[in-house]
Amino acid sequence: MNVHVFGDQTADQIPLLRKIFSRRDNSLLSTFLERSGAAVREEIQRLPKSQRDAIPDFLTLSQLVHAYVEKGVKVTQLESVLVTIAQLGHFIG
């Protein structure tokens, strides 16, 4: 298995994600976000129930980020996913 780590894993990526979610003028970015959201949902479903319970239910990445921030509980694996999505989304956008 190959693991790629993008940027500073401790930096708050929420503002960058919100900026990316607000962009409506880039179809490639929109497709990336839709497919990333579907991939994240699929991977979460494969987790044991105890780990799934820490992650809010969502249909879109935007909903996930909003609910995740509201919940206020840090999930290390999800933080890494959000950093990667934020940085790739910023690059694509």
Side-chain angles (χ1 to χ4, degrees):
M1 169 175 31
N2 293 328
V3 176
H4 300 278
V5 179
F6 292 88
D8 184 358
Q9 297 288 303
T10 62
D12 183 15
Q13 298 298 320
I14 302 304
L16 179 57
L17 284 166
R18 288 184 173 146
K19 183 178 178 181
I20 291 167
F21 296 147
S22 69
R23 297 215 35 203
R24 304 281 183 222
D25 60 339
N26 188 322
S27 61
L28 183 60
L29 179 59
S30 296
T31 300
F32 168 74
L33 293 173
E34 288 170 16
R35 290 183 179 182
S36 296
V40 170
R41 276 194 310 278
E42 288 175 18
E43 290 300 321
I44 289 171
Q45 291 305 310
R46 294 180 183 161
L47 294 173
K49 183 169 175 19
S50 60
Q51 291 178 342
R52 283 194 319 260
D53 289 344
I55 301 170
D57 293 330
F58 66 99
L59 294 176
T60 66
L61 284 175
S62 179
Q63 290 174 352
L64 171 62
V65 168
H66 180 75
Y68 181 66
V69 169
E70 275 190 4
K71 196 168 187 178
V73 176
K74 296 289 184 185
V75 178
T76 305
Q77 300 90 329
L78 189 55
E79 291 284 323
S80 292
V81 167
L82 294 177
V83 165
T84 303
I85 291 171
Q87 293 182 357
L88 287 173
H90 180 68
F91 176 76
I92 291 168

